[in-house]
C-alpha cells in the first residue's frame, strides 16, 4: 500500500538484474519504466499504493511478475507491523504539521 510501483533490483557490477525483471514481458516492462520516469509521491503521503495493486480485490494485477521485495514481504509479519508503525508515526507528524 505504500510503494507506488514495484521495486525491482536492477543490474549492477556486483549482481545481475532481478530474475523477475529479466523475465517480465517487454510490453509490461516498458509500461512500468514509463510510469516510473514520471512518478511523484502524492502530497502529504509516504507514497501511494502500487500501480499493480487492484484496490478492489487487494491483489496484485501481475502477481507472477512481482519483485523479490513483494515475494519476501509477509502480510502481518514483523516487517509489515514495523512499516505500519512507522507510517502511522509519519502520518501523525504530517497531520500535526498541517494543523499548526
Amino acid at each position: 500500500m505504500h510503494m507506488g510501483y514495484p521495486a525491482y533490483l536492477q543490474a549492477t557490477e556486483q549482481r545481475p538484474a532481478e530474475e523477475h525483471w529479466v523475465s517480465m514481458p517487454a510490453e509490461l516492462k516498458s509500461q512500468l519504466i514509463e510510469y516510473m520516469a514520471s512518478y511523484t509521491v502524492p502530497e502529504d503521503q509516504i507514497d501511494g499504493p502500487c500501480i499493480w495493486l487492484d484496490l478492489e480485490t487487494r491483489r496484485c494485477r501481475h502477481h507472477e511478475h512481482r519483485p523479490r521485495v513483494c515475494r519476501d514481504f509477509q502480510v502481518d509479519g514483523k516487517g509489515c507491523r514495523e512499516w505500519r508503525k512507522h507510517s502511522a508515526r509519519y502520518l501523525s507528524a504530517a497531520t500535526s504539521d498541517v494543523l499548526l
Side-chain angles (χ1 to χ4, degrees):
M1 285 300 296
H2 298 288
M3 187 175 288
Y5 52 81
Y8 288 91
L9 294 176
Q10 299 299 312
T12 67
E13 289 183 24
Q14 293 79 26
R15 68 168 190 279
E18 185 174 334
E19 65 184 271
H20 307 291
W21 175 260
V22 173
S23 66
M24 186 186 308
E27 183 180 328
L28 186 56
K29 192 183 296 185
S30 65
Q31 289 172 0
L32 184 54
I33 290 170
E34 185 178 317
Y35 182 84
M36 290 164 50
S38 63
Y39 184 76
T40 57
V41 175
E43 193 173 321
D44 295 332
Q45 292 186 25
I46 295 173
D47 207 345
C50 180
I51 60 165
W52 285 4
L53 179 65
D54 181 324
L55 293 173
E56 227 174 84
T57 65
R58 313 277 286 182
R59 295 188 179 272
C60 180
R61 290 184 178 107
H62 303 289
H63 191 260
E64 66 277 10
H65 303 297
R66 71 196 186 282
R68 173 67 44 209
V69 67
C70 296
R71 292 167 189 273
D72 291 345
F73 192 81
Q74 291 184 0
V75 175
D76 203 34
K78 181 180 177 190
C80 181
R81 290 190 304 271
E82 287 174 356
W83 182 250
R84 286 179 187 168
K85 190 184 306 183
H86 168 75
S87 60
R89 282 195 304 266
Y90 174 85
L91 293 172
S92 175
T95 301
S96 66
D97 288 346
V98 170
L99 297 175
L100 294 177

